[in-house]
């Protein structure tokens, strides 16, 4: 597995990913120009930070405890 943005190899040992990565999968629908194509990419944490820091509206961040109502 590689980061789609920088090409960095994501370390995998015994089929377990050794670092956390951002995985995106999008199934485009009829109302897009991509007519039912499935798009997939991975980003390492560095590239994820780089890309999301260029957003005008920042990423919504919740802690897992809040989401689970703990
Ligand atoms: Zn990267």
């Amino acid at each position: 597995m590689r980061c789609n943005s920088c090409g960095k190899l994501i370390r995998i040992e015994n089929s377990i990913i050794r670092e956390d990565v951002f995985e995106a999968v999008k199934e485009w629908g009829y109302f897009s120009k991509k007519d039912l194509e499935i798009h997939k990419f991975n980003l390492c944490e560095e590239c994820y930070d780089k890309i999301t820091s260029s957003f005008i509206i920042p990423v919504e961040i919740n802690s897992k405890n809040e989401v689970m109502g703990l």
Side-chain angles (χ1 to χ4, degrees):
M1 192 197 258
R2 277 172 183 275
C3 168
N4 281 64
S5 181
C6 69
K8 187 178 97 169
L9 211 61
I10 288 145
R11 285 200 301 141
I12 295 173
E13 284 165 36
N14 304 323
S15 71
I16 296 162
I17 299 171
R18 288 302 191 183
E19 54 189 294
D20 216 357
V21 294
F22 178 83
E23 293 180 83
V25 182
K26 171 63 185 164
E27 295 179 29
W28 291 99
Y30 289 113
F31 300 108
S32 73
K33 287 169 188 154
K34 296 174 188 63
D35 228 4
L36 304 178
E37 290 177 4
I38 299 170
H39 290 200
K40 236 184 194 181
F41 62 87
N42 309 305
L43 293 173
C44 69
E45 195 174 359
E46 260 167 68
C47 292
Y48 174 86
D49 288 343
K50 231 184 278 171
I51 287 164
T52 55
S53 68
S54 74
F55 289 178
I56 287 173
I57 298 163
V59 174
E60 192 182 314
I61 299 172
N62 293 301
S63 84
K64 214 168 187 178
N65 290 346
E66 285 169 34
V67 172
M68 291 165 71
L70 296 171

